[in-house]
Amino acid sequence: QSVLTQPPSVSGAPGQRVTISCTGSSSNIGANYDVHWYQQLPGAAPKLLIYGNTNRPSGVPDRFSGSKSGTSASLAITGLQAEDGADYYCQSYDYSLSGSVFGGGTKLTVL
Amino acid sequence: QVQLQVSGPGLVRPSQTLSLTCTVSGGSISSGTYNWSWIRQLPGRGLECIGYISYTGTPYYSPSLESRLILSVDTSKNQFSLKLTSVTAADTAVYYCARDGGGGAFDYWGQGTPVTVSS
């Protein structure tokens, strides 16, 4: 059972917009700790997609955006492309555990 | 460009000790205020941060593993290492090393090494 809760799967057609939610609690996201998002392609290591809730590392398309409110965060992907099909994970810090915690991951299927 | 490379055995017997090393290239492990981390991915997808060590050698251990986990850093070799004792089948996972680049985000990852605990 992951500390952060994500939907197991989402799907969308090419060109559409999808969002992936990440729900935490008062000891992590709700305590104002940053949320980060990762994309994991099959057989590869996770890749940092969004850091500090809303920031994109160099090279990440602006089709990817992050937001945070209260005890939750969201990753939005616009103009969906076939290559976006992957697993997506959110991550934050939890003070009760004194360490980083991840969501269980969301599998994005591009129809 | 910082690169991380994990090395270690892919098969460990139950009750034995798992030892992994992460070699950092493209930058000094002791420059900056980074935390050098170990993350594992259990079968079925979940990611778990099992611990990290600062460039000064101060470790953090996941509460669920701290009785079995030892992390260390060798700045002369630009490496950091993990030892997990008394392993069981529940420790079977892909193990990644990663850099916490500041603010808690893991900006560089090693390629991951699959570890199976089996007799």
Side-chain angles (χ1 to χ4, degrees), chain A residues 81-107:
Chain A
Q81 299 179 5
E83 67 206 48
D84 298 332
D87 291 332
Y88 292 84
Y89 295 88
C90 61
Q91 176 235 329
S92 187
Y93 180 87
D94 190 291
Y95 70 73
S96 66
L97 298 172
S98 299
S100 290
V101 290
F102 286 92
T106 298
K107 182 177 183 62

PDB file of all heavy atoms in Angstrom, chain A residues 81-107:
ATOM      1  N   GLN A  81       0.380  11.833 -27.181  1.00  0.00           N
ATOM      2  CA  GLN A  81       1.072  11.156 -28.266  1.00  0.00           C
ATOM      3  C   GLN A  81       1.310   9.701 -27.892  1.00  0.00           C
ATOM      4  O   GLN A  81       1.369   9.353 -26.714  1.00  0.00           O
ATOM      5  CB  GLN A  81       2.404  11.845 -28.564  1.00  0.00           C
ATOM      6  CG  GLN A  81       2.266  13.294 -29.002  1.00  0.00           C
ATOM      7  CD  GLN A  81       3.602  13.962 -29.280  1.00  0.00           C
ATOM      8  OE1 GLN A  81       4.664  13.329 -29.239  1.00  0.00           O
ATOM      9  NE2 GLN A  81       3.565  15.256 -29.594  1.00  0.00           N
ATOM     10  N   ALA A  82       1.462   8.865 -28.903  1.00  0.00           N
ATOM     11  CA  ALA A  82       1.661   7.423 -28.672  1.00  0.00           C
ATOM     12  C   ALA A  82       2.855   7.177 -27.756  1.00  0.00           C
ATOM     13  O   ALA A  82       2.836   6.278 -26.908  1.00  0.00           O
ATOM     14  CB  ALA A  82       1.845   6.701 -30.005  1.00  0.00           C
ATOM     15  N   GLU A  83       3.896   7.987 -27.896  1.00  0.00           N
ATOM     16  CA  GLU A  83       5.115   7.799 -27.091  1.00  0.00           C
ATOM     17  C   GLU A  83       4.918   8.150 -25.621  1.00  0.00           C
ATOM     18  O   GLU A  83       5.804   7.897 -24.805  1.00  0.00           O
ATOM     19  CB  GLU A  83       6.235   8.666 -27.656  1.00  0.00           C
ATOM     20  CG  GLU A  83       5.993  10.166 -27.495  1.00  0.00           C
ATOM     21  CD  GLU A  83       6.708  10.995 -28.541  1.00  0.00           C
ATOM     22  OE1 GLU A  83       6.599  10.632 -29.729  1.00  0.00           O
ATOM     23  OE2 GLU A  83       7.366  11.971 -28.179  1.00  0.00           O
ATOM     24  N   ASP A  84       3.767   8.732 -25.261  1.00  0.00           N
ATOM     25  CA  ASP A  84       3.501   9.053 -23.865  1.00  0.00           C
ATOM     26  C   ASP A  84       3.015   7.840 -23.086  1.00  0.00           C
ATOM     27  O   ASP A  84       2.907   7.891 -21.853  1.00  0.00           O
ATOM     28  CB  ASP A  84       2.437  10.164 -23.758  1.00  0.00           C
ATOM     29  CG  ASP A  84       2.887  11.458 -24.409  1.00  0.00           C
ATOM     30  OD1 ASP A  84       4.114  11.714 -24.472  1.00  0.00           O
ATOM     31  OD2 ASP A  84       2.012  12.233 -24.856  1.00  0.00           O
ATOM     32  N   GLY A  85       2.722   6.756 -23.786  1.00  0.00           N
ATOM     33  CA  GLY A  85       2.297   5.545 -23.107  1.00  0.00           C
ATOM     34  C   GLY A  85       3.400   5.026 -22.193  1.00  0.00           C
ATOM     35  O   GLY A  85       4.477   4.653 -22.669  1.00  0.00           O
ATOM     36  N   ALA A  86       3.167   5.036 -20.886  1.00  0.00           N
ATOM     37  CA  ALA A  86       4.192   4.710 -19.905  1.00  0.00           C
ATOM     38  C   ALA A  86       3.544   4.647 -18.530  1.00  0.00           C
ATOM     39  O   ALA A  86       2.344   4.883 -18.379  1.00  0.00           O
ATOM     40  CB  ALA A  86       5.299   5.768 -19.902  1.00  0.00           C
ATOM     41  N   ASP A  87       4.356   4.317 -17.534  1.00  0.00           N
ATOM     42  CA  ASP A  87       3.918   4.408 -16.139  1.00  0.00           C
ATOM     43  C   ASP A  87       4.366   5.753 -15.576  1.00  0.00           C
ATOM     44  O   ASP A  87       5.478   6.212 -15.857  1.00  0.00           O
ATOM     45  CB  ASP A  87       4.525   3.283 -15.308  1.00  0.00           C
ATOM     46  CG  ASP A  87       3.948   1.922 -15.673  1.00  0.00           C
ATOM     47  OD1 ASP A  87       2.792   1.855 -16.130  1.00  0.00           O
ATOM     48  OD2 ASP A  87       4.654   0.916 -15.489  1.00  0.00           O
ATOM     49  N   TYR A  88       3.509   6.362 -14.777  1.00  0.00           N
ATOM     50  CA  TYR A  88       3.805   7.661 -14.180  1.00  0.00           C
ATOM     51  C   TYR A  88       3.691   7.559 -12.665  1.00  0.00           C
ATOM     52  O   TYR A  88       2.743   6.959 -12.141  1.00  0.00           O
ATOM     53  CB  TYR A  88       2.845   8.729 -14.719  1.00  0.00           C
ATOM     54  CG  TYR A  88       3.072   9.013 -16.189  1.00  0.00           C
ATOM     55  CD1 TYR A  88       2.491   8.204 -17.152  1.00  0.00           C
ATOM     56  CD2 TYR A  88       3.890  10.066 -16.592  1.00  0.00           C
ATOM     57  CE1 TYR A  88       2.717   8.436 -18.505  1.00  0.00           C
ATOM     58  CE2 TYR A  88       4.122  10.314 -17.943  1.00  0.00           C
ATOM     59  CZ  TYR A  88       3.536   9.494 -18.890  1.00  0.00           C
ATOM     60  OH  TYR A  88       3.769   9.721 -20.223  1.00  0.00           O
ATOM     61  N   TYR A  89       4.672   8.150 -11.974  1.00  0.00           N
ATOM     62  CA  TYR A  89       4.719   8.094 -10.523  1.00  0.00           C
ATOM     63  C   TYR A  89       4.848   9.489  -9.923  1.00  0.00           C
ATOM     64  O   TYR A  89       5.595  10.324 -10.439  1.00  0.00           O
ATOM     65  CB  TYR A  89       5.936   7.279 -10.054  1.00  0.00           C
ATOM     66  CG  TYR A  89       5.893   5.820 -10.421  1.00  0.00           C
ATOM     67  CD1 TYR A  89       6.393   5.361 -11.636  1.00  0.00           C
ATOM     68  CD2 TYR A  89       5.345   4.887  -9.550  1.00  0.00           C
ATOM     69  CE1 TYR A  89       6.352   4.035 -11.968  1.00  0.00           C
ATOM     70  CE2 TYR A  89       5.301   3.542  -9.870  1.00  0.00           C
ATOM     71  CZ  TYR A  89       5.802   3.122 -11.084  1.00  0.00           C
ATOM     72  OH  TYR A  89       5.749   1.785 -11.412  1.00  0.00           O
ATOM     73  N   CYS A  90       4.121   9.716  -8.838  1.00  0.00           N
ATOM     74  CA  CYS A  90       4.335  10.937  -8.063  1.00  0.00           C
ATOM     75  C   CYS A  90       5.199  10.590  -6.846  1.00  0.00           C
ATOM     76  O   CYS A  90       5.281   9.437  -6.430  1.00  0.00           O
ATOM     77  CB  CYS A  90       3.018  11.569  -7.630  1.00  0.00           C
ATOM     78  SG  CYS A  90       1.961  10.550  -6.574  1.00  0.00           S
ATOM     79  N   GLN A  91       5.834  11.618  -6.301  1.00  0.00           N
ATOM     80  CA  GLN A  91       6.746  11.421  -5.178  1.00  0.00           C
ATOM     81  C   GLN A  91       6.758  12.686  -4.335  1.00  0.00           C
ATOM     82  O   GLN A  91       6.675  13.803  -4.862  1.00  0.00           O
ATOM     83  CB  GLN A  91       8.153  11.114  -5.692  1.00  0.00           C
ATOM     84  CG  GLN A  91       9.221  10.979  -4.621  1.00  0.00           C
ATOM     85  CD  GLN A  91      10.394  11.910  -4.844  1.00  0.00           C
ATOM     86  OE1 GLN A  91      10.741  12.240  -5.965  1.00  0.00           O
ATOM     87  NE2 GLN A  91      11.020  12.344  -3.769  1.00  0.00           N
ATOM     88  N   SER A  92       6.851  12.516  -3.028  1.00  0.00           N
ATOM     89  CA  SER A  92       6.955  13.658  -2.133  1.00  0.00           C
ATOM     90  C   SER A  92       7.746  13.241  -0.901  1.00  0.00           C
ATOM     91  O   SER A  92       8.314  12.136  -0.866  1.00  0.00           O
ATOM     92  CB  SER A  92       5.550  14.146  -1.739  1.00  0.00           C
ATOM     93  OG  SER A  92       5.613  15.345  -0.989  1.00  0.00           O
ATOM     94  N   TYR A  93       7.769  14.098   0.085  1.00  0.00           N
ATOM     95  CA  TYR A  93       8.450  13.804   1.352  1.00  0.00           C
ATOM     96  C   TYR A  93       7.392  13.637   2.428  1.00  0.00           C
ATOM     97  O   TYR A  93       6.376  14.350   2.434  1.00  0.00           O
ATOM     98  CB  TYR A  93       9.413  14.929   1.707  1.00  0.00           C
ATOM     99  CG  TYR A  93      10.174  14.711   3.006  1.00  0.00           C
ATOM    100  CD1 TYR A  93      11.367  14.000   3.015  1.00  0.00           C
ATOM    101  CD2 TYR A  93       9.681  15.206   4.212  1.00  0.00           C
ATOM    102  CE1 TYR A  93      12.069  13.789   4.195  1.00  0.00           C
ATOM    103  CE2 TYR A  93      10.371  14.996   5.390  1.00  0.00           C
ATOM    104  CZ  TYR A  93      11.560  14.294   5.377  1.00  0.00           C
ATOM    105  OH  TYR A  93      12.243  14.074   6.542  1.00  0.00           O
ATOM    106  N   ASP A  94       7.623  12.701   3.331  1.00  0.00           N
ATOM    107  CA  ASP A  94       6.696  12.478   4.431  1.00  0.00           C
ATOM    108  C   ASP A  94       7.430  12.660   5.745  1.00  0.00           C
ATOM    109  O   ASP A  94       8.383  11.929   6.030  1.00  0.00           O
ATOM    110  CB  ASP A  94       6.098  11.070   4.329  1.00  0.00           C
ATOM    111  CG  ASP A  94       4.944  10.880   5.307  1.00  0.00           C
ATOM    112  OD1 ASP A  94       5.209  10.835   6.525  1.00  0.00           O
ATOM    113  OD2 ASP A  94       3.796  10.775   4.855  1.00  0.00           O
ATOM    114  N   TYR A  95       6.972  13.611   6.575  1.00  0.00           N
ATOM    115  CA  TYR A  95       7.738  13.892   7.795  1.00  0.00           C
ATOM    116  C   TYR A  95       7.557  12.829   8.856  1.00  0.00           C
ATOM    117  O   TYR A  95       8.409  12.649   9.714  1.00  0.00           O
ATOM    118  CB  TYR A  95       7.425  15.279   8.346  1.00  0.00           C
ATOM    119  CG  TYR A  95       6.050  15.479   8.954  1.00  0.00           C
ATOM    120  CD1 TYR A  95       5.713  14.927  10.183  1.00  0.00           C
ATOM    121  CD2 TYR A  95       5.102  16.255   8.309  1.00  0.00           C
ATOM    122  CE1 TYR A  95       4.461  15.119  10.739  1.00  0.00           C
ATOM    123  CE2 TYR A  95       3.852  16.460   8.856  1.00  0.00           C
ATOM    124  CZ  TYR A  95       3.528  15.891  10.076  1.00  0.00           C
ATOM    125  OH  TYR A  95       2.287  16.087  10.619  1.00  0.00           O
ATOM    126  N   SER A  96       6.452  12.099   8.809  1.00  0.00           N
ATOM    127  CA  SER A  96       6.260  11.050   9.811  1.00  0.00           C
ATOM    128  C   SER A  96       7.174   9.860   9.533  1.00  0.00           C
ATOM    129  O   SER A  96       7.534   9.118  10.445  1.00  0.00           O
ATOM    130  CB  SER A  96       4.804  10.598   9.845  1.00  0.00           C
ATOM    131  OG  SER A  96       4.442   9.951   8.642  1.00  0.00           O
ATOM    132  N   LEU A  97       7.565   9.690   8.279  1.00  0.00           N
ATOM    133  CA  LEU A  97       8.492   8.632   7.888  1.00  0.00           C
ATOM    134  C   LEU A  97       9.911   9.154   7.734  1.00  0.00           C
ATOM    135  O   LEU A  97      10.853   8.382   7.574  1.00  0.00           O
ATOM    136  CB  LEU A  97       8.044   7.989   6.569  1.00  0.00           C
ATOM    137  CG  LEU A  97       6.686   7.290   6.594  1.00  0.00           C
ATOM    138  CD1 LEU A  97       6.278   6.877   5.188  1.00  0.00           C
ATOM    139  CD2 LEU A  97       6.735   6.078   7.506  1.00  0.00           C
ATOM    140  N   SER A  98      10.033  10.479   7.744  1.00  0.00           N
ATOM    141  CA  SER A  98      11.339  11.132   7.557  1.00  0.00           C
ATOM    142  C   SER A  98      12.026  10.689   6.279  1.00  0.00           C
ATOM    143  O   SER A  98      13.251  10.502   6.239  1.00  0.00           O
ATOM    144  CB  SER A  98      12.264  10.846   8.755  1.00  0.00           C
ATOM    145  OG  SER A  98      11.722  11.348   9.946  1.00  0.00           O
ATOM    146  N   GLY A  99      11.245  10.518   5.225  1.00  0.00           N
ATOM    147  CA  GLY A  99      11.840  10.102   3.966  1.00  0.00           C
ATOM    148  C   GLY A  99      10.903  10.314   2.790  1.00  0.00           C
ATOM    149  O   GLY A  99       9.750  10.709   2.948  1.00  0.00           O
ATOM    150  N   SER A 100      11.433  10.043   1.608  1.00  0.00           N
ATOM    151  CA  SER A 100      10.647  10.192   0.387  1.00  0.00           C
ATOM    152  C   SER A 100       9.647   9.059   0.242  1.00  0.00           C
ATOM    153  O   SER A 100       9.940   7.917   0.607  1.00  0.00           O
ATOM    154  CB  SER A 100      11.571  10.209  -0.832  1.00  0.00           C
ATOM    155  OG  SER A 100      12.334  11.384  -0.887  1.00  0.00           O
ATOM    156  N   VAL A 101       8.496   9.380  -0.314  1.00  0.00           N
ATOM    157  CA  VAL A 101       7.462   8.390  -0.563  1.00  0.00           C
ATOM    158  C   VAL A 101       6.963   8.538  -2.000  1.00  0.00           C
ATOM    159  O   VAL A 101       6.976   9.637  -2.560  1.00  0.00           O
ATOM    160  CB  VAL A 101       6.290   8.521   0.424  1.00  0.00           C
ATOM    161  CG1 VAL A 101       6.724   8.103   1.816  1.00  0.00           C
ATOM    162  CG2 VAL A 101       5.730   9.939   0.440  1.00  0.00           C
ATOM    163  N   PHE A 102       6.528   7.419  -2.573  1.00  0.00           N
ATOM    164  CA  PHE A 102       6.037   7.388  -3.939  1.00  0.00           C
ATOM    165  C   PHE A 102       4.572   6.989  -3.980  1.00  0.00           C
ATOM    166  O   PHE A 102       4.062   6.333  -3.055  1.00  0.00           O
ATOM    167  CB  PHE A 102       6.824   6.364  -4.772  1.00  0.00           C
ATOM    168  CG  PHE A 102       8.209   6.785  -5.147  1.00  0.00           C
ATOM    169  CD1 PHE A 102       9.289   6.451  -4.343  1.00  0.00           C
ATOM    170  CD2 PHE A 102       8.447   7.502  -6.306  1.00  0.00           C
ATOM    171  CE1 PHE A 102      10.576   6.823  -4.685  1.00  0.00           C
ATOM    172  CE2 PHE A 102       9.730   7.872  -6.671  1.00  0.00           C
ATOM    173  CZ  PHE A 102      10.794   7.537  -5.851  1.00  0.00           C
ATOM    174  N   GLY A 103       3.929   7.365  -5.073  1.00  0.00           N
ATOM    175  CA  GLY A 103       2.627   6.816  -5.378  1.00  0.00           C
ATOM    176  C   GLY A 103       2.787   5.433  -5.978  1.00  0.00           C
ATOM    177  O   GLY A 103       3.896   5.021  -6.336  1.00  0.00           O
ATOM    178  N   GLY A 104       1.684   4.710  -6.093  1.00  0.00           N
ATOM    179  CA  GLY A 104       1.727   3.352  -6.605  1.00  0.00           C
ATOM    180  C   GLY A 104       1.910   3.260  -8.111  1.00  0.00           C
ATOM    181  O   GLY A 104       2.115   2.174  -8.648  1.00  0.00           O
ATOM    182  N   GLY A 105       1.829   4.403  -8.784  1.00  0.00           N
ATOM    183  CA  GLY A 105       2.032   4.414 -10.234  1.00  0.00           C
ATOM    184  C   GLY A 105       0.725   4.350 -11.000  1.00  0.00           C
ATOM    185  O   GLY A 105      -0.254   3.741 -10.555  1.00  0.00           O
ATOM    186  N   THR A 106       0.705   5.003 -12.146  1.00  0.00           N
ATOM    187  CA  THR A 106      -0.452   5.017 -13.046  1.00  0.00           C
ATOM    188  C   THR A 106       0.006   4.638 -14.441  1.00  0.00           C
ATOM    189  O   THR A 106       0.937   5.255 -14.972  1.00  0.00           O
ATOM    190  CB  THR A 106      -1.107   6.403 -13.089  1.00  0.00           C
ATOM    191  OG1 THR A 106      -1.580   6.759 -11.798  1.00  0.00           O
ATOM    192  CG2 THR A 106      -2.270   6.429 -14.088  1.00  0.00           C
ATOM    193  N   LYS A 107      -0.648   3.658 -15.015  1.00  0.00           N
ATOM    194  CA  LYS A 107      -0.305   3.243 -16.374  1.00  0.00           C
ATOM    195  C   LYS A 107      -1.162   4.035 -17.362  1.00  0.00           C
ATOM    196  O   LYS A 107      -2.392   3.972 -17.325  1.00  0.00           O
ATOM    197  CB  LYS A 107      -0.553   1.744 -16.564  1.00  0.00           C
ATOM    198  CG  LYS A 107      -0.161   1.231 -17.946  1.00  0.00           C
ATOM    199  CD  LYS A 107      -0.352  -0.269 -18.054  1.00  0.00           C
ATOM    200  CE  LYS A 107       0.097  -0.795 -19.394  1.00  0.00           C
ATOM    201  NZ  LYS A 107       1.537  -0.562 -19.614  1.00  0.00           N
TER     202      LYS A 107
END
